[in-house]
Amino acid sequence: MNFAKDKNLTFDQAVELMFQKLGDWKIMALASSVNDYVMVRNVSCLFYDHKVYFKTDKEFRKTQQLFQNPHVALCWSGVQIEGLAENKGLVVDEPDRRFESLYKKHLWGSYNKYSHEDTEIIIEVTPKFVEIWDTCDDNYAYQIFIDFDKESVEVKQYDHR
């Protein structure tokens, strides 16, 4: 979805734009913090049901941070998502195995290398605030701010010519 220089976006259009940019999966940088100790690392993410999902070993440092402080940020190519992370349990215990099926389809290499049935959990990130850098049809740069709690969107033109 592209938009003209003077066109406004609705909340639903902005959310659609965000998930269109992300596609089915991406490798994203995940930032987390506990007691002012910040860590960032890459995670293999899937996108469905207007949320972000990744798997991780429940014993990893990053996972222990998420258990203590669920506030996270994810970033990929001009899309930054701030949200809340929630442990959804073991990958193999998910009732419909949707995550596992999609992970095998889109991220087979990672799935094949890093699958441990007794320790791999699904983390679901619910977006709270999103910032997207984009350009419009007229090639003007914009920042798009999406507030999920307020269901609002603000578009700020960055490029003034």
Side-chain angles (χ1 to χ4, degrees), residues 21-143:
K21 286 185 165 300
L22 293 171
D24 294 322
W25 68 275
K26 291 289 181 274
I27 306 299
M28 299 186 81
L30 168 72
S32 60
S33 174
V34 170
N35 300 324
D36 293 329
Y37 186 84
V38 179
M39 289 175 43
V40 66
R41 81 292 285 154
N42 288 330
V43 290
S44 302
C45 297
L46 298 171
F47 312 103
Y48 54 92
D49 296 339
H50 285 173
K51 297 193 179 182
V52 180
Y53 296 88
F54 62 91
K55 72 180 182 77
T56 186
D57 191 293
K58 63 185 178 183
E59 303 301 326
F60 285 171
R61 288 175 47 210
K62 71 179 167 203
T63 312
Q64 296 306 307
Q65 267 196 334
L66 297 176
F67 291 161
Q68 292 178 57
N69 179 3
H71 296 272
V72 298
L74 293 147
C75 189
W76 174 82
S77 188
V79 178
Q80 178 183 290
I81 301 169
E82 300 165 21
L84 291 176
E86 181 182 348
N87 175 5
K88 300 307 274 185
L90 292 173
V91 172
V92 295
D93 289 342
E94 183 185 27
D96 64 0
R97 308 287 285 258
R98 182 175 181 190
F99 177 88
E100 181 180 31
S101 173
L102 290 170
Y103 206 87
K104 280 182 184 178
K105 177 180 176 182
H106 297 293
L107 296 153
W108 172 251
S110 176
Y111 179 85
N112 195 36
K113 286 182 197 173
Y114 305 113
S115 290
H116 301 97
E117 291 186 358
D118 57 341
T119 59
E120 291 290 313
I121 58 173
I122 300 170
I123 301 294
E124 174 188 86
V125 178
T126 301
K128 294 295 182 181
F129 191 85
V130 172
E131 180 178 341
I132 302 170
W133 280 88
D134 201 3
T135 55
C136 67
D137 292 339
D138 303 327
N139 210 28
Y140 284 85
Y142 279 86
Q143 292 171 283

